[in-house]
């Protein structure tokens, strides 16, 4: 078995998930991890799957690209074990939506040489006022406690200037 990453996007419609996973399954594949989301009128997928070693990426990509209005890229990835020593950290951000929030937080992590392993954002309307509120969940790994304290202080300082609520915790 080999591991592949499938990136796909296209106009949203009923059945896309079924069609993609049917093709992966038909080649003896197994979806190990995925994020699938409707983004306005579009649909996007990123998926890690195991497939038979003799299956060519081009064959799979060709079959997936035959799905109506779907654009697909298939890439083989190196299988790696997660570093069990690494601590996983989570940053939750809440507040009024405005430009640059993701940039400001990710730039702080970049300057500390921290790699983001997952980032999920969404906006919702406040119940009473209807104002747009921003929510973000960010995960990263780091073993250096001093670096973590510095990152936490820097992000909390920036959040205060931006009037955002931040929760910083080990996972």
């Amino acid at each position: 078995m080999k591991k592949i990453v499938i990136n796909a996007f296209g106009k949203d419609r009923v059945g896309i998930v079924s069609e993609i996973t049917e093709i992966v399954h038909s080649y003896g594949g197994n979806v190990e991890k995925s994020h699938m989301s409707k983004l306005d009128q579009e649909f996007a997928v990123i998926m890690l799957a195991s497939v038979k070693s003799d299956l060519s990426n081009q064959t799979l990509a060709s079959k997936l690209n035959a799905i109506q209005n779907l654009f697909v890229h298939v890439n083989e990835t190196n299988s790696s074990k997660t570093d069990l020593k690494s601590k996983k950290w989570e940053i939750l951000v809440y507040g009024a939506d405005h430009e640059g929030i993701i940039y400001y937080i990710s730039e702080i992590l970049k300057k500390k040489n921290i790699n983001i392993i997952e980032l999920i954002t969404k906006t919702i309307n406040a119940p009473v006022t209807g104002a747009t509120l921003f929510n973000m969940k960010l995960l990263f790994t780091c073993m250096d406690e001093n670096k973590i304290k510095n990152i936490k202080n820097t992000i909390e300082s920036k959040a205060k200037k931006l009037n955002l609520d931040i929760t910083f915790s080990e996972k």
Side-chain angles (χ1 to χ4, degrees):
M1 298 294 276
K2 67 178 181 179
K3 299 217 185 221
I4 57 162
V5 173
I6 299 170
N7 293 293
F9 65 93
K11 291 285 181 204
D12 185 47
R13 63 176 172 75
V14 172
I16 294 175
V17 173
S18 175
E19 292 174 37
I20 294 169
T21 55
E22 176 186 23
I23 291 168
V24 171
H25 175 70
S26 73
Y27 284 105
N30 182 49
V31 176
E32 294 185 10
K33 186 174 183 180
S34 68
H35 287 276
M36 303 181 201
S37 186
K38 181 178 178 183
L39 303 167
D40 201 10
Q41 297 304 309
E42 299 293 314
F43 185 78
V45 176
I46 185 165
M47 174 185 300
L48 174 67
S50 303
V51 295
K52 294 178 181 176
S53 298
D54 60 350
L55 174 63
S56 79
N57 296 349
Q58 294 78 12
T59 299
L60 183 59
S62 176
K63 190 73 168 175
L64 289 167
N65 273 306
I67 296 173
Q68 177 187 357
N69 296 322
L70 194 67
F71 304 94
V72 180
H73 177 75
V74 175
N75 190 51
E76 190 169 341
T77 184
N78 293 328
S79 181
S80 64
K81 302 280 186 213
T82 304
D83 183 0
L84 298 176
K85 295 180 193 172
S86 292
K87 291 182 182 177
K88 195 179 285 185
W89 298 89
E90 178 181 73
I91 301 170
L92 301 175
V93 179
Y94 305 98
D97 186 33
H98 54 84
E99 295 138 0
I101 296 171
I102 299 169
Y103 164 70
Y104 295 130
I105 303 297
S106 63
E107 182 66 11
I108 290 167
L109 295 173
K110 180 181 106 176
K111 287 180 178 177
K112 304 294 182 190
N113 201 31
I114 295 293
N115 190 36
I116 296 169
I117 58 174
E118 185 172 58
L119 177 77
I120 301 168
T121 65
K122 68 179 177 178
T123 56
I124 59 171
N125 293 330
V128 177
T129 65
T132 305
L133 299 176
F134 178 79
N135 293 332
M136 179 171 78
K137 177 181 173 183
L138 185 149
L139 296 173
F140 68 94
T141 58
C142 182
M143 284 298 296
D144 186 335
E145 292 292 332
N146 290 324
K147 190 182 264 192
I148 291 296
K149 287 177 188 174
N150 186 275
I151 290 167
K152 184 177 180 188
N153 291 338
T154 306
I155 287 176
E156 286 175 346
S157 174
K158 188 64 168 179
K160 190 173 185 177
K161 291 177 187 173
L162 297 172
N163 199 26
L164 299 169
D165 291 327
I166 299 279
T167 304
F168 197 100
S169 60
E170 184 178 348
K171 287 290 156 191

